[in-house]
Amino acid sequence: MAIPVEMPKMSDTMEEGVLVSWLVEEGASVSAGDVIAQVETDKATMDLEVYDDGVLLKKVIQEGEAVPIGGLIAVLGEEGEDISEVLAKYGGGDGSAAPEPETKAEAVEAEAGQAPSGDGAAEEAAVAAGPEEGARIKASPLARKMAREHGIDLRTVRGSGPEGRIIKRDIEALLAGAPVEVPEAAPKPAPAEAPAEAPAMPAAYDVERISQMRKTIARRLAQSKFTAPHFYLTVDVDMEKATAFREQLNELAEAQGRGKVSFNDLVTKACALALRQHPYVNASYLEAEGEIRLHREIHVAVAVAIDEGLITPVIRHADRKGLGQIAEETRRLAEKARNRELQPEEYTGSTFTTSNLGMFGIDEFTAIINPPNACILAIGAIRDVPVVRDGEVVPGRRMRLTLSCDHRIVDGAVGARFLTTVRQYLEEPLNLLL
Amino acid sequence: MHSDMAELQFREAIRAAMVEEMERDENIFLMGEEVAQYNGAYKVSEGMLDRFGPKRVIDTPISENGFAGLGIGAALNGLRPIIEFMTFNFSFVAFDQLINNAAKIRYMSGGQFKLPIVFRGPNGAAGQLGATHSTSTESIYATIPGLKVVAPSNPDDAKGLLKSAIRDDDPVIFLESEVMYGLRGEVSDEPDYLIPLGKARIAREGEDVTIVAHSKSYWIALRVADRLAEEGYSAEVIDPRTLRPLDIDTIVASIKKTNRCVIIDESNPYASISSEIAYQIQDRAFDYLDAPIRRITAKDVPAPYAKNLMEYYMPQEDDAYEACKQVMYAG
């Protein structure tokens, strides 16, 4: 008689367990009370004991896989016994007993791989896979038909019916561009008392539907800000040498008929080089997977404001690219972003992000981390300021950089060291060429 | 408006239909308990014995199975009987005649026999008469292929529909409600005033919700529609009149306009005419529904005797009103 070994409920809040390591090989004999594996719950890593004697006929799940409570982990029995019935009972054979956690992991990965903003396709993927958004949309048959006819995506509609059911009036309101009436609102006025046409009141506000892009930005930024504990480090960078350096570069560029290098490009390059030295800044904290990823490649995203919102084109391998190349690529991607022509691979997969509001005269600000990055660098305007040098007040050129760090992975000293490296590059910009 | 109208009670309208048809066709006769000498338990056939004589207005013993079978035999032989049940609850005694014979003879004879017979009488609950006198039988008979089921809500319809039922060559179950026998209304005097079977009546036009209700439930529907109108909602009220064949086209057309439906039906709810109507609506107009169809029926128990329980048992106006508000998402 084959005996299934199921995932036990090891804590009150446990929903699934991850098999961390197998301690027994297939084919080995085990006795009741033997520990055959280690299982990680939401709280701790615990021993998995068997309650029967027998041979470990099959390890149904592999190390690192998650199984919900009651899911099949292994099968015990007698040597050579047919276990297909047990496997079938738990929904299939070879390791497929845990399809749910797998898809869940994929979903998280898909989520993690996304830029803070995306187009419809990216949003669709998130909606399809996301644990919350994946829920069935409740809509009356009529509302579905109307949405179909008018090309309305029901996911963009807020339902005013019971349990959020989308109903006719929600679609009508959307088509009319008006806010949806609340169900508890006063009933329609009786025709006897009020003439059909009440005097129109001027609306106190204009209504704009939340775009998919804005929705994605909102969701991702809220997720970032609420789950990643942010802290901020600011440095004032002396930009005198960088200014002179850039002037020289651009004279050369002009002579060669190439595009100019911006201060932003200098910062991008400085960050990329600094990231090489500070792997914990070029990292991702992936709670669901229970892992920290230290990225081997350096992909710096540059936040670009477009009419619809924000998008972050990525300069891939920025540490290996020359300033001219970075300048050219940034310009090209920003242009594509403004034309909404960016392909998903051009705005996903960053390992670090910069955001620049210097052109608006903003001296200093803090940015919200672009998940799953560990940090984002906010770049302020370059100011001519009086500085004290050798006891004298002299003119200086300064720029403030503020690094937002996810404290789950980047500690204060790590962030400070990284920022120091960035400053050093900008204050001795020739190093950017080495 | 018809050219000639007289104000008649529901019972008088039924009598007028029978009298007019019996004068027109001598093959028609009326048979049942107390229909002749006593003038009918509810005085529906008052004066008919004097008018047509004992061969055409026939008193029977208490023997539903017998006289229903007798009527079926007569119909097979070319007569056109009208069989009155003192209450349709007693028709259950004649179930075999109605279901195995009346409903199936045309089919089983390959169309060689037709069966022009009307089974009529009071249906449903009326005051405190106990469970065995209070069944609304329309849902039961409407499930039987081969039977037509008619349940008018007012004197005019009663007359026009009964005349059509008598002229129909198939067995018709014609359901009256004893609490409506005294109901007065304008009734057409036209000699051949026929309302076709299988044609619903749009009793009241509206935009916001369709209420389907037959027989006395129709009057609940009208009161609900009035209450809704006071709040600015317009309910369309449809009286199907014939439950089999059902005029689903008219109902569906209305649903396509209002997108919402409430059915009021005095029968017990399970596998009933209201469930059938709800099914057919979703089958035909699913994409036009903005809310689940609601129905208000008798409670799913035998009718109680106690007055307060009896009242509770019947479909409630307040429930129907609330159901309309719900399907309109009107709070």
Side-chain angles (χ1 to χ4, degrees), chain A residues 140-145 148 160-162 165-169 183-191 193, chain B residues 207-208 229-234 257-260 285-292 325 328-331:
Chain A
S140 77
L142 179 65
R144 283 182 191 276
K145 176 170 176 272
R148 210 159 50 230
S160 68
R165 182 187 299 149
I166 300 163
I167 56 179
K168 181 183 175 185
R169 67 170 172 229
E184 276 72 30
K188 287 196 253 175
E193 309 167 8
Chain B
E207 302 291 331
D208 298 326
E230 282 171 22
E231 295 175 40
Y233 299 106
S234 80
K257 181 168 67 164
T258 66
N259 313 122
R260 298 150 189 118
F286 180 75
D287 281 331
Y288 293 87
L289 288 173
D290 199 33
K325 296 288 286 279
M328 293 189 295
Y329 301 106

Short mmCIF file of all heavy atoms in Angstrom, two decimals, chain A residues 140-145 148 160-162 165-169 183-191 193, chain B residues 207-208 229-234 257-260 285-292 325 328-331:
data_model
loop_
_atom_site.label_atom_id
_atom_site.label_comp_id
_atom_site.label_asym_id
_atom_site.label_seq_id
_atom_site.Cartn_x
_atom_site.Cartn_y
_atom_site.Cartn_z
N SER A 140 -22.49 42.06 -15.45
CA SER A 140 -23.73 41.49 -15.96
C SER A 140 -23.52 41.15 -17.43
O SER A 140 -22.68 41.74 -18.10
CB SER A 140 -24.88 42.48 -15.79
OG SER A 140 -24.81 43.49 -16.77
N PRO A 141 -24.30 40.19 -17.92
CA PRO A 141 -24.17 39.85 -19.34
C PRO A 141 -24.34 41.07 -20.22
O PRO A 141 -23.61 41.25 -21.20
CB PRO A 141 -25.31 38.85 -19.57
CG PRO A 141 -25.57 38.26 -18.23
CD PRO A 141 -25.26 39.33 -17.22
N LEU A 142 -25.25 41.94 -19.85
CA LEU A 142 -25.48 43.14 -20.66
C LEU A 142 -24.24 44.04 -20.65
O LEU A 142 -23.82 44.55 -21.68
CB LEU A 142 -26.70 43.92 -20.13
CG LEU A 142 -27.00 45.21 -20.87
CD1 LEU A 142 -27.41 44.92 -22.31
CD2 LEU A 142 -28.09 46.00 -20.17
N ALA A 143 -23.67 44.22 -19.47
CA ALA A 143 -22.48 45.07 -19.37
C ALA A 143 -21.35 44.49 -20.21
O ALA A 143 -20.62 45.21 -20.88
CB ALA A 143 -22.06 45.19 -17.90
N ARG A 144 -21.22 43.17 -20.19
CA ARG A 144 -20.19 42.53 -21.00
C ARG A 144 -20.42 42.79 -22.48
O ARG A 144 -19.50 43.09 -23.23
CB ARG A 144 -20.18 41.01 -20.76
CG ARG A 144 -19.54 40.62 -19.46
CD ARG A 144 -19.49 39.12 -19.26
NE ARG A 144 -19.11 38.84 -17.89
CZ ARG A 144 -17.85 38.81 -17.47
NH1 ARG A 144 -16.87 39.02 -18.30
NH2 ARG A 144 -17.58 38.58 -16.19
N LYS A 145 -21.67 42.67 -22.86
CA LYS A 145 -22.01 42.88 -24.28
C LYS A 145 -21.70 44.32 -24.67
O LYS A 145 -21.09 44.59 -25.71
CB LYS A 145 -23.50 42.58 -24.48
CG LYS A 145 -24.02 42.85 -25.87
CD LYS A 145 -25.44 42.29 -26.01
CE LYS A 145 -26.07 42.60 -27.33
NZ LYS A 145 -26.77 43.90 -27.32
N ARG A 148 -18.05 44.92 -24.94
CA ARG A 148 -17.54 44.30 -26.17
C ARG A 148 -17.80 45.23 -27.34
O ARG A 148 -16.93 45.51 -28.15
CB ARG A 148 -18.25 42.96 -26.36
CG ARG A 148 -17.45 41.91 -27.07
CD ARG A 148 -18.01 40.49 -26.77
NE ARG A 148 -19.43 40.38 -26.96
CZ ARG A 148 -20.26 39.85 -26.06
NH1 ARG A 148 -19.80 39.43 -24.91
NH2 ARG A 148 -21.53 39.76 -26.30
N SER A 160 -20.57 49.11 -9.91
CA SER A 160 -21.34 49.68 -8.81
C SER A 160 -22.42 48.73 -8.34
O SER A 160 -23.22 49.06 -7.47
CB SER A 160 -21.96 51.02 -9.25
OG SER A 160 -22.95 50.78 -10.23
N GLY A 161 -22.47 47.53 -8.91
CA GLY A 161 -23.46 46.56 -8.48
C GLY A 161 -23.00 45.81 -7.25
O GLY A 161 -21.93 46.10 -6.71
N PRO A 162 -23.82 44.83 -6.82
CA PRO A 162 -23.43 44.05 -5.64
C PRO A 162 -22.10 43.34 -5.86
O PRO A 162 -21.86 42.83 -6.95
CB PRO A 162 -24.58 43.06 -5.47
CG PRO A 162 -25.41 43.15 -6.69
CD PRO A 162 -25.11 44.43 -7.37
N ARG A 165 -20.13 44.14 -9.01
CA ARG A 165 -20.56 43.71 -10.35
C ARG A 165 -20.67 44.94 -11.26
O ARG A 165 -21.24 45.96 -10.88
CB ARG A 165 -21.91 43.01 -10.26
CG ARG A 165 -22.40 42.49 -11.62
CD ARG A 165 -23.82 41.95 -11.54
NE ARG A 165 -23.90 40.84 -10.61
CZ ARG A 165 -24.99 40.54 -9.89
NH1 ARG A 165 -26.06 41.27 -9.99
NH2 ARG A 165 -24.98 39.52 -9.08
N ILE A 166 -20.08 44.81 -12.44
CA ILE A 166 -20.18 45.88 -13.43
C ILE A 166 -21.53 45.74 -14.11
O ILE A 166 -21.87 44.66 -14.59
CB ILE A 166 -19.03 45.79 -14.45
CG1 ILE A 166 -17.69 45.91 -13.73
CG2 ILE A 166 -19.19 46.85 -15.53
CD1 ILE A 166 -16.51 45.44 -14.55
N ILE A 167 -22.29 46.81 -14.12
CA ILE A 167 -23.63 46.73 -14.68
C ILE A 167 -23.81 47.82 -15.73
O ILE A 167 -22.92 48.64 -15.95
CB ILE A 167 -24.71 46.82 -13.57
CG1 ILE A 167 -24.53 48.08 -12.76
CG2 ILE A 167 -24.64 45.59 -12.68
CD1 ILE A 167 -25.56 48.26 -11.67
N LYS A 168 -24.97 47.80 -16.35
CA LYS A 168 -25.26 48.70 -17.47
C LYS A 168 -24.88 50.14 -17.17
O LYS A 168 -24.23 50.81 -17.95
CB LYS A 168 -26.74 48.57 -17.79
CG LYS A 168 -27.24 49.39 -18.95
CD LYS A 168 -28.75 49.20 -19.06
CE LYS A 168 -29.39 50.07 -20.11
NZ LYS A 168 -30.85 49.92 -20.07
N ARG A 169 -25.30 50.63 -15.99
CA ARG A 169 -25.08 52.05 -15.72
C ARG A 169 -23.59 52.40 -15.63
O ARG A 169 -23.20 53.53 -15.90
CB ARG A 169 -25.82 52.49 -14.46
CG ARG A 169 -25.30 51.88 -13.18
CD ARG A 169 -25.93 52.56 -11.97
NE ARG A 169 -25.57 51.84 -10.78
CZ ARG A 169 -26.44 51.46 -9.85
NH1 ARG A 169 -27.72 51.73 -9.96
NH2 ARG A 169 -26.04 50.82 -8.79
N PRO A 183 -24.83 53.27 -5.77
CA PRO A 183 -26.10 52.56 -5.69
C PRO A 183 -27.05 53.14 -4.63
O PRO A 183 -28.24 53.19 -4.84
CB PRO A 183 -25.69 51.14 -5.32
CG PRO A 183 -24.22 51.11 -5.29
CD PRO A 183 -23.68 52.41 -5.69
N GLU A 184 -26.49 53.60 -3.52
CA GLU A 184 -27.36 54.09 -2.46
C GLU A 184 -27.86 55.50 -2.72
O GLU A 184 -28.55 56.09 -1.91
CB GLU A 184 -26.62 54.06 -1.12
CG GLU A 184 -26.66 52.71 -0.42
CD GLU A 184 -25.77 51.69 -1.13
OE1 GLU A 184 -24.77 52.10 -1.72
OE2 GLU A 184 -26.10 50.50 -1.12
N ALA A 185 -27.48 56.02 -3.88
CA ALA A 185 -27.89 57.39 -4.18
C ALA A 185 -29.40 57.51 -4.17
O ALA A 185 -30.12 56.54 -4.34
CB ALA A 185 -27.36 57.78 -5.55
N ALA A 186 -29.83 58.70 -3.99
CA ALA A 186 -31.27 58.95 -3.95
C ALA A 186 -31.91 58.43 -5.23
O ALA A 186 -31.32 58.47 -6.29
CB ALA A 186 -31.52 60.44 -3.82
N PRO A 187 -33.13 57.91 -5.11
CA PRO A 187 -33.79 57.42 -6.30
C PRO A 187 -34.05 58.54 -7.28
O PRO A 187 -34.02 59.71 -6.93
CB PRO A 187 -35.11 56.85 -5.77
CG PRO A 187 -35.27 57.45 -4.42
CD PRO A 187 -33.92 57.73 -3.90
N LYS A 188 -34.31 58.13 -8.51
CA LYS A 188 -34.62 59.13 -9.52
C LYS A 188 -35.78 59.98 -9.05
O LYS A 188 -36.71 59.47 -8.43
CB LYS A 188 -35.02 58.42 -10.82
CG LYS A 188 -33.85 57.78 -11.54
CD LYS A 188 -34.27 57.46 -12.96
CE LYS A 188 -34.47 55.97 -13.13
NZ LYS A 188 -34.97 55.61 -14.44
N PRO A 189 -35.77 61.25 -9.32
CA PRO A 189 -36.86 62.07 -8.84
C PRO A 189 -38.18 61.65 -9.49
O PRO A 189 -38.21 61.27 -10.66
CB PRO A 189 -36.46 63.48 -9.29
CG PRO A 189 -35.47 63.27 -10.37
CD PRO A 189 -34.80 61.98 -10.09
N ALA A 190 -39.22 61.66 -8.71
CA ALA A 190 -40.52 61.30 -9.26
C ALA A 190 -40.90 62.32 -10.31
O ALA A 190 -40.73 63.52 -10.10
CB ALA A 190 -41.56 61.27 -8.14
N PRO A 191 -41.39 61.87 -11.44
CA PRO A 191 -41.70 62.81 -12.52
C PRO A 191 -42.76 63.83 -12.10
O PRO A 191 -42.78 64.95 -12.59
CB PRO A 191 -42.21 61.91 -13.64
CG PRO A 191 -42.43 60.57 -13.06
CD PRO A 191 -41.63 60.48 -11.80
N GLU A 193 -43.06 65.34 -9.21
CA GLU A 193 -42.55 66.45 -8.43
C GLU A 193 -41.56 67.30 -9.23
O GLU A 193 -41.55 68.51 -9.14
CB GLU A 193 -41.81 65.95 -7.19
CG GLU A 193 -42.61 64.97 -6.37
CD GLU A 193 -41.75 64.27 -5.35
OE1 GLU A 193 -40.57 64.64 -5.19
OE2 GLU A 193 -42.24 63.33 -4.73
N GLU B 207 -39.78 51.05 -18.84
CA GLU B 207 -38.41 51.04 -19.35
C GLU B 207 -37.42 50.37 -18.41
O GLU B 207 -36.35 49.93 -18.84
CB GLU B 207 -37.92 52.50 -19.55
CG GLU B 207 -38.75 53.33 -20.49
CD GLU B 207 -38.64 52.86 -21.92
OE1 GLU B 207 -37.58 52.31 -22.29
OE2 GLU B 207 -39.63 53.02 -22.67
N ASP B 208 -37.75 50.33 -17.12
CA ASP B 208 -36.69 50.02 -16.15
C ASP B 208 -36.65 48.57 -15.69
O ASP B 208 -35.61 48.07 -15.29
CB ASP B 208 -36.83 50.94 -14.93
CG ASP B 208 -36.66 52.41 -15.32
OD1 ASP B 208 -35.86 52.66 -16.24
OD2 ASP B 208 -37.32 53.28 -14.73
N ALA B 229 -43.53 53.69 -9.81
CA ALA B 229 -43.76 54.91 -10.59
C ALA B 229 -43.69 56.14 -9.69
O ALA B 229 -43.18 57.19 -10.10
CB ALA B 229 -45.12 54.83 -11.28
N GLU B 230 -44.15 55.98 -8.45
CA GLU B 230 -44.07 57.10 -7.52
C GLU B 230 -42.63 57.51 -7.25
O GLU B 230 -42.35 58.64 -6.90
CB GLU B 230 -44.74 56.73 -6.19
CG GLU B 230 -46.26 56.79 -6.25
CD GLU B 230 -46.88 56.21 -4.99
OE1 GLU B 230 -46.18 56.17 -3.95
OE2 GLU B 230 -48.05 55.79 -5.07
N GLU B 231 -41.73 56.56 -7.42
CA GLU B 231 -40.32 56.86 -7.20
C GLU B 231 -39.59 57.18 -8.50
O GLU B 231 -38.37 57.33 -8.50
CB GLU B 231 -39.64 55.67 -6.53
CG GLU B 231 -40.18 55.40 -5.14
CD GLU B 231 -39.57 54.14 -4.55
OE1 GLU B 231 -38.36 53.93 -4.74
OE2 GLU B 231 -40.31 53.38 -3.93
N GLY B 232 -40.32 57.21 -9.58
CA GLY B 232 -39.70 57.59 -10.84
C GLY B 232 -39.20 56.43 -11.67
O GLY B 232 -38.51 56.64 -12.67
N TYR B 233 -39.53 55.22 -11.27
CA TYR B 233 -39.12 54.06 -12.08
C TYR B 233 -40.31 53.56 -12.87
O TYR B 233 -41.43 53.54 -12.36
CB TYR B 233 -38.63 52.92 -11.18
CG TYR B 233 -37.43 53.29 -10.36
CD1 TYR B 233 -37.55 53.53 -9.00
CD2 TYR B 233 -36.17 53.40 -10.94
CE1 TYR B 233 -36.44 53.88 -8.24
CE2 TYR B 233 -35.07 53.73 -10.19
CZ TYR B 233 -35.21 53.98 -8.84
OH TYR B 233 -34.12 54.31 -8.09
N SER B 234 -40.06 53.17 -14.10
CA SER B 234 -41.18 52.67 -14.88
C SER B 234 -41.04 51.18 -15.12
O SER B 234 -40.05 50.71 -15.66
CB SER B 234 -41.32 53.45 -16.19
OG SER B 234 -40.41 52.99 -17.14
N LYS B 257 -35.51 45.45 -23.73
CA LYS B 257 -35.71 46.88 -23.50
C LYS B 257 -35.30 47.27 -22.08
O LYS B 257 -34.60 48.25 -21.87
CB LYS B 257 -37.18 47.23 -23.76
CG LYS B 257 -37.51 48.70 -23.57
CD LYS B 257 -38.90 49.04 -24.12
CE LYS B 257 -39.99 48.38 -23.31
NZ LYS B 257 -41.32 48.97 -23.57
N THR B 258 -35.74 46.48 -21.12
CA THR B 258 -35.54 46.88 -19.72
C THR B 258 -34.28 46.27 -19.10
O THR B 258 -33.77 46.77 -18.10
CB THR B 258 -36.72 46.44 -18.84
OG1 THR B 258 -36.76 45.01 -18.80
CG2 THR B 258 -38.04 46.96 -19.40
N ASN B 259 -33.84 45.13 -19.64
CA ASN B 259 -32.65 44.41 -19.15
C ASN B 259 -32.80 43.75 -17.78
O ASN B 259 -31.84 43.26 -17.21
CB ASN B 259 -31.41 45.33 -19.11
CG ASN B 259 -31.26 46.14 -20.38
OD1 ASN B 259 -31.22 47.37 -20.34
ND2 ASN B 259 -31.19 45.47 -21.51
N ARG B 260 -34.03 43.78 -17.24
CA ARG B 260 -34.21 43.23 -15.89
C ARG B 260 -35.57 42.58 -15.80
O ARG B 260 -36.52 43.04 -16.42
CB ARG B 260 -34.13 44.33 -14.84
CG ARG B 260 -32.80 45.02 -14.81
CD ARG B 260 -32.92 46.45 -14.37
NE ARG B 260 -31.63 47.10 -14.56
CZ ARG B 260 -31.44 48.11 -15.37
NH1 ARG B 260 -32.44 48.61 -16.05
NH2 ARG B 260 -30.25 48.63 -15.50
N ALA B 285 -32.11 35.78 -24.11
CA ALA B 285 -31.71 37.19 -23.94
C ALA B 285 -30.60 37.36 -22.93
O ALA B 285 -30.50 38.40 -22.27
CB ALA B 285 -32.93 38.01 -23.53
N PHE B 286 -29.74 36.36 -22.85
CA PHE B 286 -28.67 36.42 -21.83
C PHE B 286 -27.88 37.72 -21.92
O PHE B 286 -27.61 38.37 -20.92
CB PHE B 286 -27.75 35.22 -22.02
CG PHE B 286 -26.62 35.16 -21.04
CD1 PHE B 286 -26.85 34.77 -19.72
CD2 PHE B 286 -25.33 35.50 -21.41
CE1 PHE B 286 -25.81 34.72 -18.82
CE2 PHE B 286 -24.29 35.45 -20.51
CZ PHE B 286 -24.54 35.05 -19.21
N ASP B 287 -27.52 38.07 -23.13
CA ASP B 287 -26.67 39.26 -23.30
C ASP B 287 -27.39 40.56 -23.01
O ASP B 287 -26.79 41.63 -23.07
CB ASP B 287 -26.11 39.30 -24.72
CG ASP B 287 -24.93 38.35 -24.87
OD1 ASP B 287 -24.25 38.11 -23.86
OD2 ASP B 287 -24.71 37.85 -25.98
N TYR B 288 -28.67 40.47 -22.73
CA TYR B 288 -29.41 41.70 -22.43
C TYR B 288 -29.71 41.83 -20.95
O TYR B 288 -30.32 42.80 -20.52
CB TYR B 288 -30.72 41.72 -23.24
CG TYR B 288 -30.46 41.84 -24.72
CD1 TYR B 288 -30.25 40.72 -25.50
CD2 TYR B 288 -30.38 43.09 -25.32
CE1 TYR B 288 -29.99 40.82 -26.86
CE2 TYR B 288 -30.11 43.21 -26.67
CZ TYR B 288 -29.91 42.08 -27.44
OH TYR B 288 -29.66 42.20 -28.77
N LEU B 289 -29.32 40.85 -20.18
CA LEU B 289 -29.62 40.90 -18.74
C LEU B 289 -28.57 41.72 -18.01
O LEU B 289 -27.37 41.53 -18.18
CB LEU B 289 -29.66 39.49 -18.16
CG LEU B 289 -30.87 38.65 -18.56
CD1 LEU B 289 -30.71 37.23 -18.05
CD2 LEU B 289 -32.15 39.27 -17.99
N ASP B 290 -29.06 42.63 -17.18
CA ASP B 290 -28.14 43.43 -16.38
C ASP B 290 -28.14 42.96 -14.93
O ASP B 290 -27.35 43.44 -14.13
CB ASP B 290 -28.54 44.90 -16.45
CG ASP B 290 -27.39 45.82 -16.04
OD1 ASP B 290 -26.23 45.46 -16.31
OD2 ASP B 290 -27.66 46.87 -15.45
N ALA B 291 -29.03 42.05 -14.62
CA ALA B 291 -29.12 41.56 -13.25
C ALA B 291 -29.70 40.15 -13.30
O ALA B 291 -30.40 39.80 -14.26
CB ALA B 291 -30.03 42.47 -12.42
N PRO B 292 -29.42 39.36 -12.28
CA PRO B 292 -30.06 38.05 -12.23
C PRO B 292 -31.58 38.21 -12.19
O PRO B 292 -32.09 39.16 -11.59
CB PRO B 292 -29.55 37.45 -10.92
CG PRO B 292 -28.35 38.24 -10.55
CD PRO B 292 -28.55 39.60 -11.12
N LYS B 325 -36.52 46.60 -7.07
CA LYS B 325 -35.47 47.57 -6.71
C LYS B 325 -34.10 46.91 -6.83
O LYS B 325 -33.14 47.53 -7.30
CB LYS B 325 -35.69 48.09 -5.27
CG LYS B 325 -36.98 48.88 -5.07
CD LYS B 325 -36.94 50.26 -5.72
CE LYS B 325 -36.09 51.24 -4.97
NZ LYS B 325 -36.73 51.86 -3.83
N MET B 328 -32.94 46.46 -10.37
CA MET B 328 -32.61 47.77 -10.98
C MET B 328 -31.38 48.38 -10.30
O MET B 328 -30.96 49.47 -10.64
CB MET B 328 -33.80 48.73 -10.86
CG MET B 328 -34.99 48.31 -11.70
SD MET B 328 -36.27 49.61 -11.73
CE MET B 328 -36.78 49.65 -10.03
N TYR B 329 -30.84 47.67 -9.30
CA TYR B 329 -29.73 48.21 -8.50
C TYR B 329 -30.11 49.57 -7.95
O TYR B 329 -29.33 50.52 -7.98
CB TYR B 329 -28.45 48.31 -9.34
CG TYR B 329 -28.02 46.98 -9.91
CD1 TYR B 329 -28.18 46.69 -11.26
CD2 TYR B 329 -27.46 46.01 -9.08
CE1 TYR B 329 -27.79 45.45 -11.76
CE2 TYR B 329 -27.07 44.78 -9.59
CZ TYR B 329 -27.22 44.52 -10.93
OH TYR B 329 -26.82 43.30 -11.44
N ALA B 330 -31.33 49.63 -7.47
CA ALA B 330 -31.84 50.93 -7.03
C ALA B 330 -31.82 51.03 -5.50
O ALA B 330 -32.67 51.64 -4.90
CB ALA B 330 -33.25 51.12 -7.57
N GLY B 331 -30.81 50.41 -4.91
CA GLY B 331 -30.61 50.56 -3.46
C GLY B 331 -31.60 49.78 -2.62
O GLY B 331 -32.54 49.24 -3.07
#
